[in-house]
Amino acid sequence: MSEVDELVSKILSQLNNGDSSQSTGTTTASSVTPTSSPANSGKTFDKGDYPLFRKHPDDVKTPTGKAVSDITLDNVVSGKVDSKDLRITANTLRRQGEIAASAGRPAIQRNFQRAAELTKIPDDKVLSFYNALRPFRSSKQDLLDIAKQLRDTYHAPVCANWFEEAAGNYEISKKLKGDN
Amino acid sequence: MKRQKRFEKLEKRPVHLDGFVKEWDDEGLVAMEGKNDPKPSVKVENGVVTELDGKKKADFDLIDKYIAEYGFNIDKAEEVMAMDSTKIAKMLVDPNVPRSEIVKLTTAMTPAKAEEVISKLNFGEMIMAVQKMRPRRTPATQCHITNTRDNPVEIAADAAEASLRGFPEQETTTAIARYAPLNAISIMVGSQTGRPGVITQCSVEESEELSLGMRGFTAYAETISVYGTDRVFTDGDDTPWSKGFLASCYASRGLKMRFTSGAGSEVMMGYTEGKSMLYLEARCIFITKGSGVQGLQNGGVSCIGIPGAVPSGLREVLGENLLCMMIDVECASGCDQAFSHSDIRRTERMIGQFIAGTDYISSGYAAEENRDNTFAGSNMDVLDYDDYCSMERDLSINGGIVPIHEEDAIKIRNKGAKAIQAVFDGLGLPKITDEEVEAATYGSNSDDMPKRDMVQDMKAAQDLMDRGTTISDVIKALYDHDFKDVAEAVLKLAQQKVCGDYLQTSAIFDGDWNCISAVNDTNDYMGPGTGYRLWEDKPQWDKIKDIPWAMDPQHMDF
């Protein structure tokens, strides 16, 4: 799986550095400018870099590009920092994934790769995607449509694969809409 | 028959109120090594699992498919499957074999093989193995904070006290579902008042729970259930793919989460496929691992009455905790739902986990009187605090709870109650009176609390969600009402969600927001002189030694 992990990391990092207008307009939650710190393309993190809050506070950014040290009481009270700053970024999740993998837990890294893609997707969409995966909720086409949306609109190839894989398996195991 | 007097007396003992049943393999009423359990097997062809525990690929159900795809390391699987299970069981117990060596093997086996390995161990050996295999070096425990009236002031006061007593994780749920946001806010504010760094959850329906987390009202989730048979999984309204996706949803919002499973759930829900509890639980544990979820709450949990009723049931329960830890997954080891009417069996229920130490010995010690526990009661509650602390002191064991002095409890309960009073005022929620604050400070259960207008509370809860209130508003309310230190703690929690350190395996925070997890506090137990020893953790040992009811023989008045 390590090649896949590498590829995914690369894609994510390109996404983080590149196109920043993934706004869907439905909620404000996380459809904001991703950070484009130069550290993205740099070193791979490992368990020696953990915890990030103590060892790399300057590298941890909010979704609006603020430093984690900017999250202060004064800034929250004055409104300079609001709830959309209090979110983890794809980049930070990728680093936590690298740390998990270096501690011998590659499955956690794969989870964080999916999660990193989801940081860009508004809350209500994320919830609706989850509900679509529950048994007997969706037709095969519904799931494939979500996969397409994930891939094309949200640049979330790992999650798109997840939905395609589910669509195929649900068809065989009779978990699609109308199968119950 | 003429009754024998001793038998008549025995029948009146509390243990006779417990349920005991004989084994029935075909209905899954068997703890482990059931007659229908599959023999361990695996076949890997061109990087694809084509046979899993006696089943061919064409016959895989959704759970088999998921485990075959994600559950174990196929590169090493055939090698490990060929190893003698007794040999692996011996390695688990042998202090000379490091944890890291064992994890390489356990993460390359199938559920049936894992069951076979666990089945080789007796209860004492399981304790030895848990001591070595739990991921975090420092043990801890977790509590429930609830009351039957969903009284927010009592929740905040109980949470504050529980923080002072040492619980790093606290879990609430609701008596009435519509209270969820108020309970989530109350436990969070109360716990941060008691000790900065505690993380809290509110156990409600999956989608709703996630939406509370997205607003910042919770820091983690654990009641994300997985099951060992396809039919029960579906009846639980999920599939492995939906649960795996949900796991990523939580991580994407910087929220810690673990799954939940446990022996007996498939029996309770009626579809065991005739398999033993340990085999079905092994499948749940491998689903968790494959999902990349850092942790699992298991060990009977809310179905504990079922393994508790069959022979070797509590051995199986510790065995499933061990299986979770040995594949390197955080274990919140049950010891929660009320289990027995007998105080002796209540102690038995937790003794293995307690002696060995786990990431969370209890995944829900009742930090309220059991009558107020809306998770249907816990194995131990607040009225057992002094017994529990005495046991820790007697045995030099860190069970995760420290004794506290009455005056400190009063002080912190009062502050927690006042903090939530401030937040309710700041968020425009129905007023919390000074009388309620006083009652929560000195009370012990919800009968001690003045009644609130619950209809108004529920309307306000809905309104708060509709208005889009988030954690920033809670922080501002605390700040505006001169609870700057609590505001700072809630803010620090929000800051940690941006960093994600506590998404790693077995993570908790200390009072200074240092993240302590299996990454930087790796269990290094290798026999005497190694691993966590309470007396080497001087601050904690001093607290546990200092039970307020011990006499000081050097300063006694005769």
Side-chain angles (χ1 to χ4, degrees):
Chain A
M1 291 302 285
S2 65
E3 280 166 44
V4 177
D5 291 347
E6 224 164 78
L7 184 68
V8 168
S9 296
K10 208 183 272 176
I11 293 167
L12 285 173
S13 129
Q14 279 166 2
L15 281 172
N16 285 333
N17 283 320
D19 182 17
S20 62
S21 53
Q22 301 305 323
S23 177
T24 60
T26 41
T27 59
T28 55
S30 52
S31 47
V32 285
T33 316
T35 61
S36 54
S37 83
N40 278 351
S41 50
K43 79 174 224 140
T44 301
F45 281 64
D46 62 33
K47 59 185 178 182
D49 295 300
Y50 181 86
L52 292 181
F53 179 66
R54 294 281 176 225
K55 296 196 176 167
H56 295 281
D58 297 340
D59 289 339
V60 179
K61 302 284 191 228
T62 76
T64 49
K66 296 191 181 78
V68 75
S69 54
D70 289 333
I71 302 173
T72 63
L73 216 41
D74 287 342
N75 283 343
V76 169
V77 170
S78 68
K80 276 186 204 145
V81 165
D82 65 21
S83 55
K84 68 177 179 296
D85 291 302
L86 304 177
R87 293 257 178 165
I88 197 163
T89 64
N91 200 32
T92 301
L93 277 165
R94 187 168 61 78
R95 286 166 173 169
Q96 292 291 358
E98 288 167 359
I99 289 166
S102 91
R105 304 182 180 103
I108 292 183
Q109 183 178 34
R110 288 194 288 277
N111 179 17
F112 290 177
Q113 282 162 351
R114 296 192 293 274
E117 293 184 345
L118 296 176
T119 57
K120 309 255 185 342
I121 306 178
D123 289 353
D124 52 355
K125 273 278 170 198
V126 168
L127 283 166
S128 76
F129 289 163
Y130 161 61
N131 282 320
L133 271 181
R134 298 173 98 167
F136 314 133
R137 297 294 204 290
S138 308
S139 66
K140 187 176 183 187
Q141 195 53 49
D142 293 338
L143 293 174
L144 294 177
D145 288 347
I146 291 174
K148 187 169 162 32
Q149 204 182 341
L150 281 164
R151 188 170 277 114
D152 298 346
T153 310
Y154 296 112
H155 304 280
V158 183
C159 290
N161 287 341
W162 192 261
F163 273 74
E164 282 162 359
E165 189 178 72
N169 286 326
Y170 286 15
E171 183 176 36
I172 299 164
S173 298
K174 303 249 170 288
K175 303 294 177 197
L176 294 171
K177 191 190 259 177
D179 283 340
N180 50 331
Chain B
M1 170 174 90
K2 184 176 177 183
R3 296 302 311 273
Q4 209 277 336
K5 286 194 169 50
R6 184 168 301 154
F7 275 73
E8 283 184 320
K9 285 181 183 174
L10 281 169
E11 275 174 19
K12 294 200 175 78
R13 298 270 294 201
V15 72
H16 277 272
L17 294 168
D18 291 356
F20 294 89
V21 297
K22 295 186 172 169
E23 289 163 316
W24 185 8
D25 287 54
D26 291 335
E27 289 301 325
L29 272 172
V30 55
M32 52 220 283
E33 298 184 289
K35 73 169 192 198
N36 304 316
D37 289 355
K39 294 276 163 287
S41 76
V42 78
K43 202 167 279 172
V44 181
E45 289 169 277
N46 303 319
V48 175
V49 177
T50 56
E51 182 188 316
L52 178 68
D53 292 337
K55 231 190 247 180
K56 296 273 179 263
K57 189 163 185 269
D59 303 322
F60 284 0
D61 65 20
L62 219 44
I63 294 174
D64 299 315
K65 275 184 197 147
Y66 196 80
I67 291 172
E69 184 69 31
Y70 300 108
F72 57 95
N73 174 11
I74 57 171
D75 296 339
K76 218 176 147 62
E78 287 178 323
E79 174 199 334
V80 173
M81 294 296 283
M83 283 177 73
D84 176 28
S85 293
T86 306
K87 187 182 167 195
I88 300 173
K90 277 185 182 166
M91 292 170 78
L92 276 166
V93 177
D94 182 352
N96 300 302
V97 182
R99 181 181 188 280
S100 54
E101 285 305 306
I102 293 172
V103 169
K104 285 178 198 155
L105 307 179
T106 51
T107 49
M109 55 176 67
T110 66
K113 180 74 170 178
E115 186 208 359
E116 192 174 88
V117 170
I118 295 287
S119 302
K120 304 293 178 194
L121 300 169
N122 67 27
F123 195 75
E125 289 157 353
M126 285 178 182
I127 292 176
M128 290 280 290
V130 166
Q131 178 161 244
K132 180 167 80 178
M133 296 311 296
R134 77 162 177 271
R136 190 192 330 106
R137 185 177 191 268
T138 312
T141 194
Q142 184 210 88
C143 69
H144 292 158
I145 304 282
T146 62
N147 63 72
T148 48
R149 297 180 191 280
D150 289 326
N151 185 302
V153 206
E154 191 183 352
I155 289 178
D158 276 337
E161 180 186 333
S163 295
L164 197 62
R165 287 187 183 269
F167 295 98
E169 275 194 1
Q170 301 182 12
E171 171 185 25
T172 192
T173 188
T174 57
I176 300 163
R178 290 170 64 191
Y179 260 91
L182 300 188
N183 290 17
I185 292 171
S186 303
I187 189 175
M188 184 186 63
V189 170
S191 64
Q192 295 305 330
T193 306
R195 198 269 276 168
V198 170
I199 57 174
T200 55
Q201 62 159 318
C202 181
S203 169
V204 287
E205 189 278 327
E206 264 84 348
S207 289
E208 199 193 343
E209 187 164 348
L210 177 57
S211 107
L212 290 172
M214 286 168 162
R215 289 163 184 266
F217 296 161
T218 59
Y220 78 106
E222 107 185 327
T223 45
I224 316 294
S225 301
V226 291
Y227 302 97
T229 62
D230 185 73
R231 176 68 193 261
V232 172
F233 216 124
T234 303
D235 286 353
D237 205 14
D238 268 298
T239 74
W241 271 267
S242 67
K243 278 281 151 76
F245 185 74
L246 186 58
S248 310
C249 296
Y250 273 98
S252 77
R253 267 54 183 173
L255 296 160
K256 170 177 177 168
M257 74 98 78
R258 66 173 70 93
F259 281 169
T260 287
S261 57
S265 61
E266 296 84 3
V267 177
M268 197 89 108
M269 290 173 75
Y271 296 95
T272 62
E273 297 173 3
K275 305 297 196 302
S276 77
M277 296 177 203
L278 183 56
Y279 171 68
L280 294 182
E281 179 56 20
R283 282 160 65 90
C284 296
I285 294 168
F286 281 78
I287 291 167
T288 305
K289 181 77 182 176
S291 298
V293 171
Q294 64 83 31
L296 179 69
Q297 167 184 232
N298 80 348
V301 196
S302 55
C303 301
I304 186 64
I306 292 173
V310 298
S312 209
L314 287 199
R315 172 173 160 249
E316 187 281 337
V317 168
L318 184 58
E320 70 182 45
N321 292 149
L322 170 60
L323 176 44
C324 173
M325 298 172 215
M326 81 188 200
I327 65 166
D328 202 21
V329 169
E330 173 202 56
C331 181
S333 55
C335 302
D336 45 4
Q337 185 141 324
F339 161 71
S340 174
H341 298 84
S342 152
D343 286 343
I344 297 174
R345 280 192 96 212
R346 287 200 300 126
T347 308
E348 173 207 36
R349 168 66 193 91
M350 51 73 95
I351 200 70
Q353 291 81 358
F354 179 79
I355 292 175
T358 73
D359 291 321
Y360 310 87
I361 293 161
S362 171
S363 42
Y365 188 109
E368 61 284 313
E369 289 187 30
N370 247 341
R371 46 173 294 174
D372 267 330
N373 187 303
T374 54
F375 288 100
S378 184
N379 186 53
M380 290 195 173
D381 79 349
V382 285
L383 302 180
D384 297 310
Y385 273 149
D386 292 354
D387 296 74
Y388 191 95
C389 290
S390 299
M391 283 176 66
E392 291 177 290
R393 184 177 183 266
D394 294 338
L395 302 174
S396 299
I397 280 174
N398 181 6
I401 304 176
V402 294
I404 59 172
H405 292 261
E406 186 176 350
E407 56 269 34
D408 297 332
I410 290 170
K411 210 168 133 193
I412 209 70
R413 292 183 68 87
N414 186 254
K415 190 174 173 189
K418 281 183 170 161
I420 198 64
Q421 183 184 38
V423 169
F424 267 49
D425 186 54
L427 297 181
L429 298 170
K431 187 179 171 61
I432 291 173
T433 63
D434 290 344
E435 186 199 359
E436 288 178 275
V437 169
E438 181 79 357
T441 303
Y442 292 96
S444 184
N445 66 48
S446 53
D447 281 353
D448 300 324
M449 296 299 299
K451 305 284 172 284
R452 286 180 63 79
D453 183 340
M454 295 181 73
V455 175
Q456 287 308 315
D457 276 349
M458 282 187 275
K459 277 187 187 160
Q462 187 56 51
D463 180 53
L464 174 134
M465 292 302 269
D466 294 343
R467 278 186 283 149
T469 304
T470 71
I471 196 64
S472 313
D473 303 302
V474 175
I475 295 168
K476 282 181 205 160
L478 286 163
Y479 183 90
D480 291 342
H481 289 73
D482 265 347
F483 282 92
K484 290 203 172 57
D485 56 339
V486 184
E488 185 76 35
V490 175
L491 176 84
K492 283 263 161 57
L493 179 59
Q495 194 179 37
Q496 288 295 338
K497 287 184 199 161
V498 176
C499 298
D501 290 320
Y502 85 123
L503 304 179
Q504 299 288 349
T505 304
S506 307
I508 52 177
F509 293 107
D510 70 10
D512 298 316
W513 295 99
N514 290 306
C515 192
I516 302 161
S517 74
V519 176
N520 60 354
D521 187 39
T522 310
N523 190 5
D524 57 356
Y525 180 84
M526 285 190 74
T530 67
Y532 181 89
R533 271 147 219 275
L534 175 57
W535 56 89
E536 290 171 2
D537 181 358
K538 191 122 186 346
Q540 184 75 356
W541 182 217
D542 285 347
K543 282 184 197 163
I544 285 173
K545 281 199 278 191
D546 183 28
I547 50 172
W549 58 95
M551 290 186 301
D552 183 349
Q554 294 185 56
H555 299 91
M556 280 174 73
D557 297 323
F558 292 101

